[in-house]
Amino acid sequence: MPIKSRIRTIPHYPKHGVMFRDITTLFKDPVGFRVTINELVNRYTGVKIDRIAGIEARGFIVGSALAFQLGVGFIPIRKKGKLPAETVGHDYELEYGTDRIEMHVDAISQGDQVLLVDDLIATGGTAVAASDLIESMGGKIVECCFVIDLPDLGGRARLEKLGQKVFSLCEFKGD
């Protein structure tokens, strides 16, 4: 069963010309979701991973299911002001302005092997910020893992240029 076939495309959302890839249709499909998590479990079984860091919000869904299956801890990376304890953050540039992601100061220990997970890689801004944040806390990124890659938007290339390994289960190129 191809995972890509379970992902809905919504034309012209959120603005004209954008082909939005809606992963919620994959999540609601019990077979599709199970296949997705099992493929990732198979990839990372036997790999030294101490923690999985999931980017808000859909990265929480994939990342926590994967962390559970691999028997490792899960770290939420959230937007500014959403975590209850002391945080450390990283500001990053958006097309028009800046944003900030944060995690708890005690989420990562020096030398932790961290798998960074999100549902989709597009331009890469948030993923680059998350990898920078993890590394600033002493973590080592094992790989950046995504269900969907939109290679035309350059996020994968941006991460790879920084020396990160990137994996995705499916791509949507120019379609």
Side-chain angles (χ1 to χ4, degrees):
M1 180 218 70
I3 291 167
K4 188 173 179 178
S5 70
R6 304 289 213 244
I7 297 167
R8 172 174 43 202
T9 298
I10 302 171
H12 309 297
Y13 181 83
K15 64 182 185 177
H16 188 76
V18 173
M19 300 296 276
F20 186 84
R21 309 306 176 173
D22 180 13
I23 199 166
T24 64
T25 52
L26 175 66
F27 292 159
K28 79 173 185 175
D29 179 336
V31 173
F33 189 47
R34 182 179 307 277
V35 167
T36 299
I37 298 305
N38 285 344
E39 284 191 30
L40 295 175
V41 167
N42 290 338
R43 178 171 181 84
Y44 296 110
T45 295
V47 175
K48 171 74 169 112
I49 297 170
D50 299 304
R51 312 258 185 280
I52 292 178
I55 300 173
E56 186 171 344
R58 292 172 300 272
F60 292 1
I61 297 166
V62 177
S64 61
L66 183 56
F68 175 79
Q69 290 291 354
L70 293 176
V72 300
F74 177 78
I75 300 165
I77 296 181
R78 302 216 53 195
K79 294 182 191 307
K80 182 180 179 178
K82 300 291 186 179
L83 292 168
E86 185 180 354
T87 61
V88 61
H90 186 79
D91 296 317
Y92 63 103
E93 296 294 319
L94 297 170
E95 189 175 352
Y96 300 104
T98 61
D99 208 348
R100 183 176 180 85
I101 55 170
E102 298 177 333
M103 68 180 180
H104 285 130
V105 295
D106 59 356
I108 293 175
S109 298
Q110 186 70 33
D112 276 354
Q113 300 292 305
V114 180
L115 177 64
L116 180 61
V117 176
D118 205 356
D119 67 320
L120 180 141
I121 180 74
T123 63
T126 306
V128 167
S131 67
D132 288 348
L133 180 58
I134 290 164
E135 289 178 339
S136 76
M137 294 301 295
K140 168 77 173 103
I141 304 287
V142 172
E143 194 164 65
C144 300
C145 171
F146 306 93
V147 177
I148 302 167
D149 182 8
L150 304 177
D152 297 341
L153 298 180
R156 172 191 277 272
R158 196 170 161 194
L159 283 165
E160 289 173 340
K161 186 175 179 180
L162 296 173
Q164 300 296 355
K165 290 188 236 167
V166 181
F167 174 75
S168 64
L169 289 174
C170 66
E171 288 185 347
F172 287 88
K173 284 185 178 180
D175 52 355

